[in-house]
């Protein structure tokens, strides 16, 4: 745990008592603050009370003595309209912050030079966060990983000299972190997302920009420049005097890092030098993972990791569950769990990574369906359609061979049978649904777990990939 000492002797309201909210309560109390815990859910209030915290309905108490409101990132700060707690705080002149802001203040107070890597982007941030943490651990560093990727930041060990914090940040979390100042900041990409929470793509991009704009003066801002939003952000951050490393996996760069074949290359005033190879690293397949690897490489090099240790770390990276996860083989058939591919854009990244695909798709459909995936249809040997979207997807696929499988229990053995009979070099049974899971599963993790279970239960089972 990271005790929060910056509010010692003061009273702090915490609204939203999920994982990060409860962690904030414990960290504030450990640092000497008085905590008033609140939530709209009675069960959450009861859990906080059992943990020894004072609980209250913040509508019924005076805000005069609150030094701050610590807000869970899932609660609207600005759009579609501010949550009632935000309005109450503003009326009382109380600052509204999040748990990562509390961490930043502790770091500034006690260990301002402790390495802090913050990562954001519309896509790829979880993989990049996990990869940076893996590379730092493999290089022998005391590494703490958390934030949006799962573990609340205040549940991690506190910032200290030689200890690296690698933190994934959503736009919601950035919005609640006004003094965000990482030593290394990574912005991977910006595409339209979460507009309901930010009002416009312009505001969403501006929030993302703050992560790299706030990098410490002697730090490094790493920006993927393959979309026009991030290209413009990189220029502005550089003009503001920050050290910017531009990363592209789609075109050459005059200065920065780019991809040449399977090699990550640094370009410095036209001079090229090899950083690392991602050739035949299964956990880093696809152009999107090349970007993740290039940005992660830039980050760890900025923190002093050697090229040799970087290459070793890339090769040993296992990848993340449900994100292009290679779960095993049956003969020459590779089984890939990309259950996190919950929309067409995410599924496109998986489909672009393989040639002979036996594609399991479907679930609760998203707006637009799979129309945008037509360029990848020639890669699909056959599709196996499940869930509510099956009929809609069948109509879009048209002449592409497909069947209505309805469930994973039917789709997986049929796809495995057809892949084994296909006679191609490396057929791939790919679960990348392009849909939400909620028609048949509570979340994408449960869907991916079931895919893994059914695949491993095939006659003969799977061997490691």
């Amino acid at each position: 745990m990271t005790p929060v000492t910056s509010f010692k002797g003061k009273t702090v309201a915490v609204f939203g008592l999920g994982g990060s909210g409860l962690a904030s309560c414990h960290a504030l109390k450990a640092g000497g603050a008085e905590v008033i815990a609140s939530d709209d859910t009675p069960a959450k209030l009861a859990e906080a009370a059992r943990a020894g915290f004072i609980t209250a309905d913040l509508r019924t108490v005076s805000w005069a003595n609150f030094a701050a409101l610590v807000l869970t990132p899932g609660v609207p700060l600005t759009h579609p309209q501010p949550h009632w707690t935000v309005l109450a705080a503003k009326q009382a002149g109380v600052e509204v912050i999040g748990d990562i802001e509390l961490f930043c203040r502790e770091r500034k107070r006690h260990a301002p030079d402790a390495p802090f890597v913050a990562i954001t982007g519309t896509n790829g941030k979880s993989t990049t966060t996990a990869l940076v943490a893996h590379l730092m651990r493999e290089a022998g560093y005391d590494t703490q990983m958390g934030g949006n990727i799962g573990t609340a930041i205040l549940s991690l060990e506190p910032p200290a000299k030689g200890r690296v914090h690698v933190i994934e940040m959503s736009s919601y979390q950035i919005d609640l972190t006004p003094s965000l100042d990482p030593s290394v900041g990574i912005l991977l990409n910006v595409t339209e997302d979460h507009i309901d929470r930010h009002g416009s793509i312009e505001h969403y991009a501006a929030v993302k920009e703050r992560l790299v704009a706030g990098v410490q003066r002697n730090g490094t801002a790493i920006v993927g420049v393959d979309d026009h939003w991030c290209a413009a952000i990189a220029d502005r951050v550089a003009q503001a005097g920050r050290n910017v490393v531009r990363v592209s996996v789609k075109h050459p760069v005059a200065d920065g890092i780019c991809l040449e074949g399977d090699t990550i290359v640094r370009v410095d005033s036209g001079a090229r030098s090899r950083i690392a190879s991602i050739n035949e690293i299964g956990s880093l397949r696809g152009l999107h993972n090349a970007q993740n690897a290039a940005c992660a490489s830039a980050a760890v090099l900025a923190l002093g990791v050697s090229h040799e240790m970087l290459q070793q770390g890339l090769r040993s990276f296992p990848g993340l569950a449900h994100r292009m996860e290679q779960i095993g083989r049956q003969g020459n058939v590779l089984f890939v769990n990309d259950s996190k591919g919950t929309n067409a854009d995410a599924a496109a990244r998986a489909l672009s990574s393989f040639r002979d695909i036996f594609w399991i798709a479907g679930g609760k459909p998203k707006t637009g369906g799979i129309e945008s995936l037509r360029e990848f249809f020639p890669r699909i040997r056959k599709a196996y359609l499940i869930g509510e979207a099956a009929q809609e997807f069948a109509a879009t696929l048209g002449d592409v061979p497909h069947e209505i499988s309805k469930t994973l229990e039917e789709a997986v053995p049929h796809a495995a049978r057809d892949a084994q009979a296909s006679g191609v070099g490396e057929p791939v049974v790919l679960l990348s649904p392009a849909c939400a899971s909620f028609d048949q599963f509570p979340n994408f993790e449960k869907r991916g777990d079931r895919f893994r279970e059914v695949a491993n239960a095939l006659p003969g089972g799977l061997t490691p990939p």
Side-chain angles (χ1 to χ4, degrees):
M1 183 203 300
T2 300
V4 175
T5 61
S6 53
F7 286 97
K8 183 177 182 179
K10 299 177 181 179
T11 303
V12 178
V14 177
F15 185 86
L17 300 176
S20 66
L22 273 179
S24 297
C25 291
H26 284 288
L28 284 160
K29 186 176 180 179
E34 181 178 357
V35 177
I36 307 298
S38 188
D39 197 288
D40 285 333
T41 306
K44 296 289 187 184
L45 286 171
E47 183 180 356
R50 287 194 298 272
F53 296 106
I54 300 169
T55 62
D57 182 345
L58 295 180
R59 295 180 182 89
T60 66
V61 301
S62 170
W63 287 69
N65 293 325
F66 289 157
L69 168 65
V70 176
L71 193 68
T72 185
V75 172
L77 181 68
T78 56
H79 294 81
Q81 60 185 18
H83 190 259
W84 63 264
T85 54
V86 176
L87 296 175
K90 288 183 176 178
Q91 186 174 4
V94 173
E95 65 174 341
V96 181
I97 57 178
D99 62 330
I100 298 179
E101 175 65 17
L102 296 176
F103 169 86
C104 289
R105 295 185 187 189
E106 289 308 298
R107 176 174 173 264
K108 188 172 184 178
R109 273 183 151 218
H110 302 295
D113 296 325
F116 170 28
V117 184
I119 297 121
T120 198
T122 306
N123 296 301
K125 54 187 177 291
S126 292
T127 296
T128 304
T129 300
L131 179 55
V132 171
H134 172 78
L135 294 171
M136 296 307 295
R137 289 190 190 108
E138 290 294 292
Y141 288 81
D142 176 359
T143 303
Q144 301 285 306
M145 181 181 77
N148 195 58
I149 199 169
T151 303
I153 191 169
L154 295 174
S155 295
L156 303 174
E157 292 299 309
K161 183 177 180 181
R163 175 177 291 150
V164 183
H165 281 77
V166 183
I167 306 300
E168 177 186 336
M169 294 189 69
S170 69
S171 56
Y172 306 164
Q173 291 169 316
I174 298 170
D175 237 355
L176 291 165
T177 315
S179 65
L180 181 60
D181 61 343
S183 44
V184 176
I186 301 176
L187 172 57
L188 293 161
N189 44 59
V190 170
T191 59
E192 189 164 314
D193 201 9
H194 301 307
I195 304 307
D196 58 329
R197 278 288 300 269
H198 295 291
S200 67
I201 180 68
E202 289 80 9
H203 183 229
Y204 173 64
V207 171
K208 292 287 193 185
E209 181 172 344
R210 284 181 40 215
L211 183 140
V212 285
V215 163
Q216 292 176 322
R217 284 287 173 185
N218 60 347
T220 302
I222 299 162
V223 184
V225 293
D226 286 332
D227 64 82
H228 73 276
W229 295 105
C230 287
I233 287 169
D235 291 343
R236 286 193 293 271
V237 174
Q239 289 164 9
R242 296 299 194 271
N243 173 37
V244 175
V245 177
R246 293 171 174 82
V247 176
S248 174
V249 294
K250 293 184 177 179
H251 51 74
V253 293
D255 285 281
I257 290 176
C258 60
L259 191 69
E260 295 182 355
D262 292 320
T263 302
I264 301 170
V265 173
R266 183 191 299 278
V267 183
D268 185 3
S269 301
R272 282 169 160 68
S273 58
R274 179 187 180 279
I275 290 177
S277 171
I278 54 174
N279 183 44
E280 296 185 352
I281 301 177
S283 60
L284 295 172
R285 287 178 184 262
L287 202 59
H288 62 298
N289 274 325
Q291 184 193 46
N292 298 338
C295 289
S297 297
V300 301
L301 290 174
L303 293 174
V305 173
S306 70
H307 286 72
E308 180 182 5
M309 289 305 303
L310 166 61
Q311 185 67 76
Q312 290 179 18
L314 289 172
R315 294 205 175 279
S316 62
F317 179 56
L320 282 179
H322 315 299
R323 296 165 175 85
M324 295 282 285
E325 176 193 9
Q326 299 182 108
I327 62 172
R329 291 181 181 274
Q330 192 168 74
N332 66 331
V333 179
L334 177 65
F335 291 75
V336 176
N337 169 19
D338 191 48
S339 185
K340 184 63 167 66
T342 57
N343 56 45
D345 183 57
R349 295 165 181 262
L351 292 171
S352 69
S353 302
F354 303 102
R355 288 288 173 187
D356 297 296
I357 302 168
F358 295 80
W359 183 33
I360 301 173
K364 189 173 180 62
K366 297 285 186 74
T367 302
I370 57 171
E371 186 64 38
S372 63
L373 299 178
R374 285 192 177 276
E375 66 177 292
F376 303 109
F377 287 1
R379 297 169 178 255
I380 299 168
R381 288 298 187 105
K382 188 173 179 180
Y384 307 80
L385 306 176
I386 64 175
E388 291 179 9
Q391 295 294 342
E392 176 190 335
F393 282 14
T396 306
L397 285 168
D399 293 336
V400 176
H402 61 269
E403 67 175 58
I404 305 294
S405 301
K406 298 183 180 179
T407 66
L408 284 175
E409 288 76 9
E410 185 174 337
V412 173
H414 288 194
R417 175 200 64 203
D418 295 343
Q420 289 163 355
S422 65
V424 298
E426 188 185 60
V428 176
V429 174
L430 171 67
L431 171 68
S432 190
C435 282
S437 62
F438 306 130
D439 57 337
Q440 295 180 330
F441 299 93
N443 52 52
F444 73 83
E445 292 95 342
K446 294 294 185 184
R447 177 172 60 191
D449 289 343
R450 186 58 184 151
F451 172 74
R452 190 187 296 110
E453 290 168 2
V454 176
N456 278 304
L458 292 169
L462 302 184
T463 58

